[in-house]
Every structure is written in C-alpha cells, then in structure tokens.
Amino acid sequence: MSLEEELQSNVSVASSSPTKNTAGGGGLKVHNYFGLSDSSSVESSTLSGRVEDDKATISLKATELTLGLPGSQSTELDLLSPAKLNEKPFFPLLPSKDEICSSSSHKNIVASGNKRGFSDTMYTEKNWMFPESVAAQSVVKKEVPQNIPKGQLSTTNNSSSPPAAKAQIVGWPPVRSYRKNTLATTCKNSDEVDGKPGSAALFVKVSMDGAPYLRKVDLRSYTNYGELSSALEKMFTTFTLGHCGSNGAPGKDMLNETKLKDLLNGKDYVLTYEDKDGDWMLVGDVPWEMFIDVCKKLKIMKGCDAIGLAAAPRAIEKSKMRA
Amino acid sequence: MDLRLPSKVLEHILSFVDSNEDRNSVSLVCKSWFETERRTRKRVFVRNCYAVTPEAVARRFPETRSLTLKGKPHFADYNLVPDGWGGYAWPWIEAMAAKCPSLDELRLKRMVVTDECLEKIAASFKDFKVLVLTSCEGFSTDGLAAIAVACSNLRELELRECIVEDLGGDWLSYFPETLTSLVSLDFSCLDSEVKLSDLERLVSRSPNLKSLKLNRAVSLDALGSLLRLAPQLVELGTGSFSDKLDQEAVSKLSQAFSEMKELKSLSGLWDVLPEYIPLLYSVCPGLTSLNLSYATVQMPDLVELLTRCSNLQKLWVMDLIEDKGLEVVASSCKELRELRVFPSGAEGLNDTNVAMTEQGLVSVSEGCPNLESVLYFCVQFTNAAMVTIARNRPNLTCFRLCVMEPFSPDHKTQQPLDEGFKAIVERCKDLQRLSVSGLLTNKAFEYIGTHGKKLRMLSIAFAGDSDLMLHHLLSGCESLNKLEIRDCPFGDTALLENAAKLETMRSLWMSSCCVSFGACKLLSQKMPKLNVEVIDEHPLETRPDSSPVERIYIYRTLAGPRLDMPEFVWTTQKNPEIGVSHLAIK
C-alpha cells in the first residue's frame, strides 16, 4: 500500500458531532510527510468549511476559532520549498515538518531490505542526531540548519536533560524507571550496605525554606561546587521567595531568576548540608570529593537561620521543612 | 398518596448497590435520591486528581470509607513528565481529614506523598486500615513510622514501586505489640534492612497475614524463619534469593515452602541462583501468579519451574525465557490469562541478543485459550505473527507490543506493521487497551479508528505520517478514554478538529509531537471544561504561536485550572510569574 494515496474524507465541524463523519464541511486531505513533490498534499483545517487547495502550504488556522485571539493568524508552513525555510519558526527539539517530508518516499524505505535505525527512515539523516550509537538527551536533538535566522530560534540549549549520558532516548523502551533503577543495581552486584545504590548515582534531597516540595540531585553528576550551585539555582527558580502571608500564600514579592541568583550569591540564602553525623554544615568548607562522600541532604536556608554554621558543625533540629 | 420512598428505605436499598456506575445513575434521578446516594457512598474513585477539587469530593461524600486517587499521567513512569509537575496528595488528605472522618482506606497512584501527609493520615483517621501507594514518591521511612505507630488497626500497608527516602529500617519496629490485625505488608521497594526479630514478632502476632512482600535486604535464611511463622500466606514476595546456605538451611527452607499450602502468588526472587529454583517446586502447582520479572534466571531453569505451574494465570517474566521457554508455557500453563515479557537487554543486563522473537508470543497465543492480556517487549515482529495471534485469541482485551527499535518494520517482509495491528483490532472485538510500536503508517490508525470501538486506552510512539492518523483515532474510537502519544508528527489540525472529543476522554498526552503553541491557546480558550497544560521547560511568553511545544497534557475537569502548577506548566489562565501556591503540598 502506498503512503502517497490521498484520502478525501468529509469531516464535521469539531464542536458538533465529534465522532461522526458527516457530509458537509470541507475535506481533510492526507498530509503526506514523505511526499514527493508531485504527490504532496496538505491538510487544511476545515472548521469553517473552507478547503485550502494550495498544495504547497499547510494552514494551521481554524478560522472559526481564531476570532478574538490575538496573534493567532495562520502561519503558512511551507513544506516543500526550501526557499521559504527561513520563514518557518524552528524549534530545535523537534523535527520540523519540512524535513520530515523532504526525505525519501516510503516506497524507497520499504525496499531497503534492512532493519533500520532512525537515520534512514522518515527523517533525513542530518537532522536527527539519532542514529544507533549517538547520545540523545531528553528529547531528540536536532542540528540547526544554517539558513534559519538566529532570531527565530529558541534556545538550543538542551541542558535541562539529566547529565547522565546514556545513548538512548528518554523513556524508551517504556520500562518503568523504578524497574530500570532496580535492575541497574542487580547487575552491578553492588556492595550496598546502607541501601544506597552503587556508584551509578548519588541522589540527595534538596530542600529550600518556603518551598513546598523537595528536589533531588545526583551529586556524582557534578564535578565541583560551581556546577552544583548553578544547577540548584536553576532548579529553585520556580519557587516564590517572597514573604508568605500567614496562611502560606505566596506573597507579593515574586522573584524572577535574576533575583534568585542574587539572593543565592548574596548573603540572604546559604547552601547547607547534613553530613553523616547528622550535623548541618555550610557547603563549601571541604574538598568536593570529601563533600559528596559525607553529604546526606542539602538545604537552602535563609541566611539568618544559618548563623553559627560557619566553620564549626552544630547540630540543628531538622524541623524547618517538616513542621 | 405520597409516592416518595422514605430515605431510610432508600438507604437500605442503596446499601446493596456497590458499583459506582450504578450509583452515579441513581444520583441523577432526583434531588432526594442524589442526597441519599451521596450520604451513603462508601468508596470514591477519582482517576484524575485534578478533574475535581478535594473539597468538592469531601463535601459530597462525607461518609466515604475508601478513596482511590491517581495523579500523574501514565507516561510519568517513563520519565516523560518533569519533576515537580504536580499530583500532590496533601490537599486531598487535608480535605478528607476535615470532612470525612470515617475514611479508613487510601489508595494513591503516581502521586507525591510527603511525610507530612503520612503523619496527617495517622493523626486524622481514627480507624485507619488500608494504605496502598503505587508509584508514589516524596516520603521517607519516617513517614512510615508515623503510620506504624498510630494506626492500631492497620490491615494493609503496601508500597508498590515507590521511591522512598530510605533512612533506615527502624520504621518497622514502630508497629506496636498490640497490632494484630495485619493482613498485608509490602515493603519490597525499600532498600534498608529491617530488624529481623521485629519482623518475626510482627508476623507471628498477625494471624490474618495473607500477603507479605519483603525487600531485597531480607536474606534467604531469614525467609526460612518467616515462612515457618506464616505458612498461611497467600502472597509471598521473597527477598534476595542468593545467599549461600548450608545443606541444613536449604532443607529447612524447602520444608518451609512445602508447608505453604495456600500460596497462590510468588514474586521477588531477586538475584535467584539456579540451584535454589528447586526449592520452589513444591509451591508451583498451586500458583496462579508468578512474577519473575526481577529474576535473572536463564531459560532452562525457567522451564523447569514453569512446567510445574499448571494453574498459572499470571506470568511476568524477562525475555531470558526465550521462544523455547514460551513454548513450554504454552503447553504447561493452560490457564494463563496474563503474560508480560520484559526486556533484559534494556539496561545492559544481557548484552547478547536473547533468542526471543515473535514466535514465543505466537506459541502462547496458540496454547493458552484464556490469554487475554499481553505486554511483550521484543526486538522484532512480523505482521504474520500478529495475524496469527489475533486469529488464535480474539478474546484479547489488552495488547501491548513494544518493538524496541523505533520504526522497525516487519523483519521478514520489510512492510510496516499496519496489517498486523489491523488484524488485532479487527478480530479482538473486546480490546480495551492497545500499545503500538514499530513502523506504522496512516493505514494502521485508520484500521484502529475503524475497528477499535471498545478501545479505552491507546499508547503510540514513533509512528505516523500525518495529522490524519490522529484524526482517525479521535473520530473513530468511540470508547477512547486515555490517549498518550510521543514522538509522532501529529499536529494541530486533527486536535482542533476533534476538540469536542477531548471532553469525552479522561486525558490526552502528547509529547515531542508537532502541536503548536497557538493551537494550545486556541484549544484552551474554546474548551473551558478542559485543562490544556503545556509542559515545556523553555520560556513560552516570547514564543511565536506557530512554534511547537514540548508536551501537552489535556484533561477534562470540573475544577478549573489547578493552582499548584510549577513554572514549566503553562495554561491560558495562569500568570506565568506566579509560583507554586500554598495549596500545594506542605
């Protein structure tokens, strides 16, 4: 069967009968991502009943629904003509449609005869950093085609993905992470004494005063205090740091990322950790290697609460976040 | 003549109505029936914790005894939902503590549960009996201690695959000597060693104990003494099965197993050594459920075990079983209803290719007439195999096939796997759950839309050509309740075309697809009864409408937009500067 067949089906307006195909309304054409130029067709949204016959464009505009919504004019995604590539917004984490359809047709793929990885299937090779052995972080990465104006790019920095670089897709195959972690310790035959997983990862909890929940970091994924500190800054910018009302509601002092950095770098907040003896110490006093050995928990404390922690360890009740 | 039924009479009648579906119908009859029904409902199921507010539930069902909640979307199991997304148990526990004092059972799945939550439970519900946490996280063993200490009538404490901050094994010692009501204890997901003497004492004073699932730290030797104290167990999850025992210890353990006449379910078997497999032979004929998914046992040993399991209904195993092993299952386990085969290779456990192909599943489909639920991870598959399986087993209700290499075609014909899945949906008229994989074109989804009329849950990854596929599904699958999609080129058109369908479903998840920011805004504005969450770790405010978003999660709700969204979750109503509100967990 060919992928290049064109189906014409009448679809009803979305708001009336969603599960039936009734006559009336426009046609929905197959959008062929493998399309060769002479067989390409595009889908059009047909809520208004209008059919877009322009084969070279796809319309995202659902005319009936666009009334009154600012900025929702249809954007024409030109799938097949590279000349218009630079008008198309580009989000580096996802394959863009034009690249999908510009690869070879499905027939050719079918005839290839070998089991294939990503690189020679639907997506052109250069645009999926996804062949068998290449590390792909959280979402599939893409190379940035040269002719996209930089201004339209959102950040290509994919560093939000976990630093443990395994050459596999996140969440694939769909095996529960609990199971993965458990089996990982099986095959390491680790010398767990206190139940911590082997040298794979060293997760400690990080809490912050005023934050409603904790985060976890893998200390082994950083090599120095600077990396840890910037990772934590990033993680905790989601929290409001203003003074909360008596019922705990977020106060008026909303802080953005810059202010948090200032706070963390300044004296208002300090990073502390609980060591194996249960004492709370200031982070940064001991060499990094020693630190990750003894650190059990991290806590971002208000500066005033951390007075006295300076050099000498002092036992503190760990009640703050658990009260 | 007053034809109204006195409410006491109605209450009595309703006490025989268990099914919540029926009760929902009852509550629609008239106001007085609504009132009577709501005051007498004992079990409440909220399958999406954000579909309704905790206060509304607590207010409506003040007499409820049991609450079941589900939080994060299913794909959270595979790390596709960023940390901090939501699913907090705290507001629910707070609301129930205030309004539903009779609550004694709490079952939570994929939720964030903190120690404060557990302490609150312990403090608020006088007669708390059942706590089952599945795939939950956020709490430590200190919270367990709080439960142990306070719940003097505790019956069930089950932690299923939870991520627990393990501060040590002391928590078990907090069960008071007066606690004798324990029926089920599952701490298999904890790491730390518990004190054996405390565990033994707990087991010996629990005559009703039916289910005991130990963690890995419990040694084989310890297992022996525990089994001797609890030969009445119906479900057993062993600890580590690999210590070296001397001959006497081995024979004592063997004896202990043979005393267990009631045992129906066996799991655990971590690191099991082949020489200990024979210890299990005596219980095999009685087993209906066997979970070997953590047992790295090779095929010959598995075969020895499985030939003896003639009454097995549920088998979870790793692909180390190979085609040969599955043939043995097909001939020995005629009562089999559910088969799950997990990959051993996914984490480098087995670097060489295991000799398991589609043929294994075909054999089981031929030999096991009651087979209705399948989860099968394998490296390759064929259309012919699926056609055969469908022909053999039209009674399948759940078919989840994971061909591990994305975009893999039929390895014999190099065709897409469309025809195979077509056979499945066409023949298996009662199919409720389907996961597809491999190389799939539009056609496959046209077939699914045409034939999958009873499909309730559908999972799709790395498939598809175009929006038409999504359109087929949303317009064709009448019973569709949960749809989860990742890495497919589905986009706006089908979504917007079928917007109304989304209100008939519990939820839709799409990640790494081609849904644009503008479409999300449009959808959420047009459909106020849906929460359209854009989960994207890059800032959205300056994004053009046409740019694709990383993930969307759309679900119907009566509660409106939730108030505990982190910064990376965006909805039309939310002000992006607002951080997490106080309604989030403590």
Side-chain angles (χ1 to χ4, degrees):
Chain A
M1 66 229 81
S2 162
L3 279 185
E4 289 151 47
E5 66 194 42
E6 289 183 18
L7 293 175
Q8 285 256 355
S9 56
N10 288 327
V11 290
S12 60
V13 175
S15 51
S16 52
S17 41
T19 57
K20 290 196 209 157
N21 282 342
T22 57
L28 187 73
K29 292 189 186 161
V30 172
H31 172 125
N32 189 344
Y33 276 70
F34 295 116
L36 299 181
S37 52
D38 60 349
S39 61
S40 68
S41 62
V42 296
E43 283 172 71
S44 46
S45 61
T46 55
L47 286 169
S48 66
R50 258 190 331 124
V51 176
E52 304 235 13
D53 287 332
D54 184 355
K55 290 197 170 176
T57 60
I58 186 170
S59 168
L60 291 178
K61 181 166 128 184
T63 52
E64 182 182 310
L65 299 183
T66 56
L67 295 176
L69 194 63
S72 64
Q73 292 123 24
S74 72
T75 47
E76 312 270 281
L77 279 190
D78 188 329
L79 300 155
L80 296 175
S81 66
K84 284 197 186 171
L85 200 60
N86 52 4
E87 284 176 9
K88 193 171 70 61
F90 180 76
F91 190 66
L93 296 182
L94 293 169
S96 51
K97 291 179 183 163
D98 63 327
E99 271 120 7
I100 294 167
C101 70
S102 63
S103 67
S104 53
S105 79
H106 187 63
K107 275 205 182 112
N108 296 341
I109 292 165
V110 164
S112 75
N114 294 320
K115 191 165 92 159
R116 60 183 165 286
F118 295 145
S119 52
D120 51 357
T121 53
M122 299 197 278
Y123 306 94
T124 56
E125 202 158 358
K126 71 172 169 62
N127 286 313
W128 278 76
M129 281 165 60
F130 217 35
E132 296 77 351
S133 56
V134 173
Q137 297 295 347
S138 61
V139 187
V140 176
K141 274 196 208 162
K142 279 182 69 62
E143 283 179 310
V144 177
Q146 304 296 26
N147 53 359
I148 300 288
K150 294 253 169 74
Q152 290 194 350
L153 291 177
S154 46
T155 168
T156 56
N157 179 20
N158 202 16
S159 60
S160 55
S161 51
K166 280 195 179 166
Q168 58 189 15
I169 318 160
V170 158
W172 190 264
V175 174
R176 281 195 182 164
S177 36
Y178 171 85
R179 185 184 162 77
K180 275 190 191 167
N181 296 339
T182 310
L183 287 175
T185 51
T186 301
C187 66
K188 280 188 171 49
N189 202 7
S190 65
D191 45 4
E192 309 170 2
V193 173
D194 57 356
K196 279 228 171 75
S199 56
L202 188 58
F203 281 100
V204 294
K205 288 211 159 184
V206 190
S207 61
M208 180 165 183
D209 282 344
Y213 51 82
L214 315 180
R215 302 296 298 268
K216 280 193 294 230
V217 291
D218 174 9
L219 288 182
R220 287 197 206 277
S221 58
Y222 311 109
T223 54
N224 56 47
Y225 285 116
E227 283 180 19
L228 174 64
S229 162
S230 37
L232 289 177
E233 275 169 26
K234 245 169 116 181
M235 232 184 244
F236 283 92
T237 53
T238 54
F239 295 129
T240 321
L241 294 175
H243 297 292
C244 292
S246 57
N247 59 351
K252 299 258 172 48
D253 309 325
M254 306 305 175
L255 293 172
N256 56 22
E257 189 170 321
T258 328
K259 271 177 136 184
L260 170 62
K261 274 193 192 147
D262 293 342
L263 277 182
L264 287 182
N265 289 335
K267 299 295 177 228
D268 285 21
Y269 279 82
V270 291
L271 186 59
T272 63
Y273 71 99
E274 186 186 13
D275 69 5
K276 283 188 169 159
D277 304 322
D279 298 324
W280 287 90
M281 323 256 279
L282 279 183
V283 165
D285 288 343
V286 299
W288 175 256
E289 290 302 324
M290 192 186 306
F291 168 69
I292 59 178
D293 221 15
V294 299
C295 172
K296 270 177 56 178
K297 266 188 203 176
L298 285 169
K299 187 161 166 179
I300 304 176
M301 278 189 194
K302 290 201 174 72
C304 43
D305 294 337
I307 289 173
L309 280 187
R314 191 191 79 182
I316 310 180
E317 310 164 76
K318 21 175 160 172
S319 62
K320 262 284 163 168
M321 58 167 185
R322 295 154 60 92
Chain B
M1 183 163 87
D2 188 347
L3 294 174
R4 216 168 33 159
L5 214 50
S7 62
K8 284 282 173 225
V9 176
L10 184 57
E11 265 182 47
H12 183 71
I13 297 174
L14 286 183
S15 66
F16 296 102
V17 181
D18 266 341
S19 130
N20 275 9
E21 256 189 79
D22 291 339
R23 278 182 165 265
N24 289 342
S25 307
V26 163
S27 62
L28 292 174
V29 169
C30 65
K31 276 194 182 148
S32 72
W33 280 44
F34 177 87
E35 282 298 307
T36 309
E37 191 285 313
R38 78 174 184 86
R39 273 197 254 276
T40 56
R41 191 178 296 210
K42 296 282 183 287
R43 292 177 312 159
V44 176
F45 300 89
V46 180
R47 292 182 174 90
N48 174 0
C49 67
Y50 290 120
V52 66
T53 64
E55 292 75 26
V57 172
R59 219 173 24 239
R60 181 170 168 189
F61 302 114
E63 296 299 316
T64 192
R65 295 273 168 83
S66 160
L67 177 64
T68 303
L69 285 173
K70 292 190 186 176
K72 299 186 203 173
H74 173 235
F75 271 0
D77 285 351
Y78 315 129
N79 287 339
L80 292 180
V81 178
D83 258 356
W85 171 83
Y88 304 110
W90 175 259
W92 287 90
I93 295 170
E94 208 179 23
M96 300 306 281
K99 291 235 158 55
C100 307
S102 312
L103 190 76
D104 57 24
E105 296 186 10
L106 197 53
R107 294 179 170 83
L108 306 178
K109 186 167 182 179
R110 283 190 211 102
M111 296 195 76
V112 177
V113 180
T114 59
D115 287 345
E116 285 75 14
C117 295
L118 297 175
E119 285 156 17
K120 182 90 171 163
I121 293 170
S124 312
F125 304 109
K126 297 283 165 291
D127 203 21
F128 199 72
K129 296 199 171 73
V130 171
L131 183 64
V132 177
L133 303 177
T134 308
S135 301
C136 292
E137 56 173 356
F139 60 102
S140 78
T141 43
D142 285 356
L144 297 178
I147 296 279
V149 133
C151 302
S152 48
N153 284 323
L154 194 67
R155 282 214 310 254
E156 297 178 29
L157 177 60
E158 295 183 16
L159 309 172
R160 302 177 184 170
E161 299 197 343
C162 293
I163 306 205
V164 184
E165 185 188 359
D166 199 324
L167 304 170
D170 305 333
W171 62 275
L172 189 89
S173 314
Y174 283 88
F175 283 111
E177 293 297 321
T178 48
L179 178 75
T180 55
S181 48
L182 210 54
V183 172
S184 168
L185 179 63
D186 178 353
F187 60 99
S188 51
C189 62
L190 299 182
D191 288 324
S192 290
E193 207 172 321
V194 298
K195 211 158 148 208
L196 182 61
S197 52
D198 288 336
L199 183 54
E200 285 175 343
R201 273 206 311 279
L202 179 62
V203 167
S204 30
R205 65 175 184 273
S206 305
N208 297 322
L209 192 67
K210 293 277 182 290
S211 171
L212 180 63
K213 296 189 179 164
L214 308 166
N215 68 354
R216 218 161 165 176
V218 176
S219 67
L220 203 49
D221 209 15
L223 179 65
S225 52
L226 289 166
L227 294 186
R228 275 187 292 281
L229 291 169
Q232 78 282 4
L233 285 178
V234 175
E235 292 182 351
L236 172 66
T238 73
S240 166
F241 224 89
S242 63
D243 321 325
K244 290 291 181 190
L245 296 179
D246 60 34
Q247 194 48 43
E248 194 198 335
V250 167
S251 76
K252 270 181 156 179
L253 189 54
S254 174
Q255 178 68 20
F257 269 112
S258 59
E259 297 290 321
M260 302 189 69
K261 307 284 184 215
E262 311 290 327
L263 196 66
K264 296 233 172 335
S265 162
L266 184 61
S267 59
L269 301 171
W270 309 97
D271 319 309
V272 59
L273 297 176
E275 56 257 39
Y276 292 146
I277 301 265
L279 287 170
L280 305 170
Y281 290 169
S282 54
V283 295
C284 286
L287 287 182
T288 56
S289 166
L290 181 56
N291 182 349
L292 296 167
S293 62
Y294 292 104
T296 47
V297 188
Q298 300 301 319
M299 187 267 293
D301 303 304
L302 285 173
V303 160
E304 281 302 309
L305 200 55
L306 291 166
T307 38
R308 292 167 164 82
C309 296
S310 48
N311 285 313
L312 206 59
Q313 292 175 17
K314 176 169 131 173
L315 175 63
W316 291 18
V317 73
M318 288 209 268
D319 59 8
L320 302 168
I321 193 172
E322 300 181 0
D323 287 343
K324 282 217 187 87
L326 288 174
E327 276 170 37
V328 171
V329 170
S331 58
S332 308
C333 309
K334 292 299 185 186
E335 303 297 319
L336 196 69
R337 294 195 190 155
E338 177 181 328
L339 175 69
R340 293 196 190 187
V341 180
F342 294 96
S344 57
E347 292 308 305
L349 256 189
N350 192 349
D351 287 323
T352 62
N353 276 328
V354 173
M356 198 189 79
T357 69
E358 70 276 3
Q359 194 45 48
L361 186 56
V362 170
S363 315
V364 177
S365 75
E366 273 160 9
C368 303
N370 296 325
L371 186 71
E372 54 191 31
S373 173
V374 171
L375 168 63
Y376 201 75
F377 282 84
C378 65
V379 173
Q380 59 192 18
F381 224 80
T382 64
N383 283 314
M386 270 195 268
V387 169
T388 309
I389 291 166
R391 206 178 43 234
N392 291 335
R393 293 276 67 78
N395 49 324
L396 284 175
T397 56
C398 168
F399 187 74
R400 297 162 69 190
L401 177 65
C402 179
V403 180
M404 288 193 282
E405 180 77 34
F407 311 118
S408 298
D410 178 322
H411 71 93
K412 290 197 177 133
T413 66
Q414 302 310 317
Q415 295 292 314
L417 290 177
D418 299 341
E419 293 301 311
F421 283 108
K422 176 188 182 196
I424 295 279
V425 291
E426 218 178 6
R427 294 247 179 187
C428 306
K429 305 231 183 293
D430 292 324
L431 196 69
Q432 288 187 13
R433 184 165 178 187
L434 177 65
S435 301
V436 299
S437 57
L439 183 67
L440 296 167
T441 73
N442 268 359
K443 278 238 162 273
F445 298 90
E446 190 190 333
Y447 299 142
I448 295 173
T450 308
H451 298 287
K453 295 306 180 190
K454 297 243 178 103
L455 261 187
R456 293 178 55 82
M457 182 166 174
L458 182 53
S459 311
I460 307 175
F462 303 107
D465 310 323
S466 73
D467 256 358
L468 200 59
M469 304 168 74
L470 183 59
H471 175 71
H472 284 311
L473 296 174
L474 291 176
S475 58
C477 298
E478 290 159 4
S479 312
L480 197 59
N481 191 246
K482 285 199 289 188
L483 179 56
E484 45 187 28
I485 302 173
R486 63 164 296 179
D487 293 274
C488 298
F490 295 147
D492 303 333
T493 315
L495 201 58
L496 296 171
E497 287 272 352
N498 295 282
K501 170 76 173 173
L502 298 176
E503 270 181 11
T504 68
M505 294 166 53
R506 189 188 309 166
S507 66
L508 167 65
W509 168 277
M510 292 176 68
S511 56
S512 306
C513 297
C514 303
V515 181
S516 75
F517 187 41
C520 296
K521 289 202 277 195
L522 221 54
L523 193 62
S524 65
Q525 201 175 41
K526 197 65 183 169
M527 311 289 296
K529 289 209 202 116
L530 298 179
N531 272 357
V532 177
E533 292 189 9
V534 174
I535 301 166
D536 196 314
E537 296 181 74
H538 298 80
L540 284 171
E541 294 89 346
T542 50
R543 266 285 183 97
D545 277 1
S546 50
S547 71
V549 295
E550 282 176 5
R551 312 168 188 84
I552 60 170
Y553 184 48
I554 300 174
Y555 52 91
R556 64 180 171 200
T557 179
L558 298 172
R562 57 186 177 109
L563 299 168
D564 59 1
M565 288 180 274
E567 196 173 66
F568 55 80
V569 175
W570 178 95
T571 66
T572 43
Q573 294 91 347
K574 182 187 150 199
N575 178 348
E577 281 84 51
I578 293 180
V580 183
S581 85
H582 74 288
L583 284 182
I585 61 159
K586 269 175 50 164

